């Protein structure tokens, strides 16, 4: 009898035995067990803006605790549409083109369920966010990695076209990206747009880190590229911007012809995003202006400098990100044959948790890289940096 069977013939699905716990979750649990400093998970434990927290508390006290409409509360949808017009220059109908979701993760799952079929192929840019690939795998959709070129993670458009087959239905663009912090340039996105139009592909764009941009880099949404409005599914949320990763409030913007079906699958899986948290996020979008978002970028640019300098002192040669709040760094000087072993070696020596680079690559790649999250309270980040420097 196999480990996936029981005495009465019950068994896991064909997919389940091939799945393992996320390396991010595994390192977080190990870090918690030993009381270390967790730079593994992108928990973003900086302070929640007061207006956001108070908005959610007020909503709870006012009794706004029941199901919302499946597409979210009206004021949040209107606020999202207004934000899209202010920051991206696109007109969005809050009644037909906005869906409030259970995080950007829920947005992607619902969109993939609505728009893709088992056996379809979707291009992902490597290093990729593991949850994108895991979500596609769970739906029996094949994720096809297209490698970005080190050391600056440049895009090779010829490689993109070479990866396309008759089964290719979409591509996933994460900009700024997790884990590399790559910000796709306008010219890169225009090249991808031409490919999407030539091969009639959907473009799923995860823009959750849109406000974490450094040193003159500019965030461009693929949806703003001419000809891309109809085929782009824009996904974002408030987990990172408002430091509320546990609230699970995200959103999706897409052409009305897709939103109805996407909303059906989101309702089926999640019913709705948490009602009072939607109210708090609406307060944040309505009341926090440009100064808040610019301050957020400046604050995290300082944190980026802290971790990059510490990693250099530890002889771990970091890739300096243009956006998001992660750093990929060399682990070649650490003990271990694999990135997972190197991450555990670093945790044992310093009490600092990172994530194996292999979690963001196809098998056999990323084994000399570790990912560090720097969206931490200053005192915790400073302590992590002090511990890393002890490797010298």
């Amino acid at each position: 009898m196999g480990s996936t069977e029981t005495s009465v013939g019950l068994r896991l699905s064909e997919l389940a035995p091939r799945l393992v716990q996320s390396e991010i979750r595994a390192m977080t649990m190990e870090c918690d067990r030993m009381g270390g400093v967790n730079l593994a998970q992108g928990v973003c434990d900086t302070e929640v803006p007061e207006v956001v927290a108070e908005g959610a508390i007020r909503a709870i006290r006012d009794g706004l605790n029941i199901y919302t409409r499946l597409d979210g509360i009206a004021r949040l949808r209107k606020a999202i549409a207004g934000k899209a017009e202010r920051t991206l220059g696109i007109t969005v109908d809050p009644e037909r083109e906005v869906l409030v979701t259970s995080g950007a993760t829920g947005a992607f799952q619902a969109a993939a369920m609505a728009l893709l079929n088992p056996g379809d192929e979707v291009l992902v840019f490597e290093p990729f966010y593991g949850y994108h690939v895991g979500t596609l795998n769970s739906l029996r959709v094949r994720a096809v990695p297209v490698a970005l070129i080190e050391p600056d993670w440049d895009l090779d458009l010829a490689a993109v076209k070479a990866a396309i087959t008759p089964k290719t239905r979409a591509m996933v663009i994460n900009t700024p990206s997790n884990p590399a912090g790559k910000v796709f340039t306008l010219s890169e996105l225009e090249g991808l747009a031409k490919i999407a139009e030539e091969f009639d592909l959907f473009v799923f764009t995860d823009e959750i880190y849109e406000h974490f941009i450094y040193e003159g880099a500019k965030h461009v949404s693929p949806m703003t590229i001419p000809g891309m409005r109809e085929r782009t599914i824009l996904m974002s949320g408030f987990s990172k911007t408002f430091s509320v990763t546990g609230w699970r409030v995200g959103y999706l913007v897409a052409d009305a012809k897709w939103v109805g079906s996407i909303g059906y699958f989101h309702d089926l899986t999640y019913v709705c995003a948490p009602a009072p948290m939607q109210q708090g996020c609406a307060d944040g979008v309505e009341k926090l202006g440009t100064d808040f978002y610019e301050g957020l970028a400046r604050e995290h640019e300082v944190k980026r400098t802290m971790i990059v300098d510490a990693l250099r002192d530890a002889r771990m040669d970091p890739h300096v990100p243009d956006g998001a709040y992660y750093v990929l760094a060399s682990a070649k000087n650490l003990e271990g044959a694999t990135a997972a072993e190197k991450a555990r070696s670093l945790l044992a020596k310093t009490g600092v948790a990172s994530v194996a680079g292999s979690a963001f690559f196809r098998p056999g790649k990323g084994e000399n890289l570790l990912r560090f999250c720097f969206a931490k309270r200053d005192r915790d980040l400073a302590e992590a940096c002090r511990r890393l420097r002890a490797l010298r």
Side-chain angles (χ1 to χ4, degrees):
M1 184 187 304
S3 60
T4 62
E5 298 183 9
T6 72
S7 58
V8 294
L10 301 177
R11 58 177 60 85
L12 293 168
S13 72
E14 292 178 359
L15 182 64
R18 302 200 302 272
L19 302 179
V20 295
Q21 182 187 35
S22 155
E23 183 67 14
I24 299 172
R25 301 287 185 191
M27 286 302 295
T28 294
M29 291 178 65
E30 183 63 17
C31 181
D32 289 346
R33 185 189 67 78
M34 66 178 296
V37 182
N38 186 5
L39 303 190
Q41 192 172 6
V43 294
C44 195
D45 62 2
T46 49
E47 293 300 321
V48 179
E50 184 176 358
V51 65
V52 176
E54 289 302 317
I57 292 168
R58 184 177 63 253
I60 292 170
R61 289 175 174 160
D62 288 348
L64 302 177
N65 301 302
I66 62 173
Y67 299 138
T68 70
R69 253 175 54 165
L70 71 86
D71 55 354
I73 63 171
R75 63 185 289 252
L76 181 53
R77 284 184 282 107
K78 290 177 182 176
I80 290 166
K83 177 178 179 294
E85 184 168 0
R86 289 192 307 274
T87 61
L88 302 179
I90 56 176
T91 301
V92 175
D93 181 349
E95 289 297 319
R96 301 171 63 244
E97 296 184 315
V98 178
L99 175 69
V100 178
T101 61
S102 184
T105 302
F108 184 48
Q109 183 190 35
M113 292 175 75
L115 303 177
L116 303 173
N117 293 313
D120 285 346
E121 295 179 355
V122 175
L123 306 184
V124 296
F125 297 104
E126 184 184 54
F128 47 72
Y129 177 48
Y131 273 49
H132 290 154
V133 171
T135 295
L136 294 171
N137 288 343
S138 73
L139 300 176
R140 274 71 172 184
V141 174
R142 180 171 175 249
V144 178
V146 178
L148 298 172
I149 304 170
E150 294 189 62
D152 297 321
W153 311 114
D154 293 325
L155 178 68
D156 182 348
L157 290 173
V160 177
K161 294 188 75 167
I164 293 174
T165 76
K167 294 182 178 181
T168 307
R169 287 284 308 283
M171 64 176 73
V172 177
I173 302 173
N174 182 199
T175 183
S177 79
N178 175 8
K182 175 181 174 57
V183 177
F184 282 77
T185 66
L186 175 60
S187 62
E188 288 176 329
L189 293 174
E190 288 174 338
L192 290 173
K194 289 180 181 178
I195 291 173
E197 290 186 289
E198 179 181 352
F199 294 94
D200 201 20
L201 307 178
F202 280 112
V203 173
F204 298 100
T205 172
D206 184 340
E207 302 176 29
I208 192 75
Y209 300 102
E210 63 182 307
H211 296 296
F212 298 85
I213 296 286
Y214 314 119
E215 289 183 334
K218 180 177 174 58
H219 171 66
V220 179
S221 172
M223 185 172 273
T224 66
I225 305 297
M228 293 295 286
R229 182 67 168 79
E230 182 179 7
R231 68 179 66 253
T232 301
I233 312 298
L234 188 161
M235 303 169 295
S236 190
F238 308 104
S239 291
K240 317 298 183 178
T241 306
F242 294 159
S243 301
V244 289
T245 54
W247 286 18
R248 311 313 305 138
V249 183
Y251 63 87
L252 176 150
V253 175
D255 189 279
K257 66 170 63 70
W258 315 125
V259 169
S261 293
I262 297 170
Y264 168 83
F265 284 106
H266 188 270
D267 176 40
L268 188 67
T269 309
Y270 303 99
V271 180
C272 64
M277 280 60 185
Q278 289 190 50
Q279 299 285 349
C281 289
D283 278 345
V285 181
E286 290 171 351
K287 298 175 182 179
L288 294 172
T290 302
D291 288 349
F292 169 78
Y293 297 106
E294 291 178 349
L296 191 70
R298 287 194 301 270
E299 175 187 348
H300 282 79
E301 190 162 358
V302 171
K303 295 176 187 292
R304 182 189 67 158
T305 298
M306 291 172 64
I307 188 66
V308 164
D309 287 349
L311 289 166
R312 284 174 176 156
D313 289 345
R315 297 184 300 117
M316 294 186 66
D317 190 22
H319 297 264
V320 182
D322 291 324
Y325 50 57
Y326 306 99
V327 175
L328 284 174
S330 171
K332 65 181 180 181
N333 294 324
L334 297 175
E335 296 176 4
T338 67
E341 291 177 3
K342 292 172 186 288
R344 284 158 178 77
S345 172
L346 180 68
L347 181 61
K349 285 183 176 180
T350 67
V352 175
S354 59
V355 181
S358 53
F360 310 102
F361 292 83
R362 73 193 85 180
K365 297 184 66 178
E367 297 293 0
N368 272 317
L369 291 172
L370 297 180
R371 190 200 75 174
F372 297 84
C373 171
F374 56 86
K376 311 295 292 183
R377 293 185 176 93
D378 285 345
R379 65 177 182 273
D380 294 331
L381 184 60
E383 175 61 16
C385 291
R386 184 191 68 77
R387 295 183 182 202
L388 287 170
R389 286 189 168 96
L391 289 173
R392 287 184 291 190

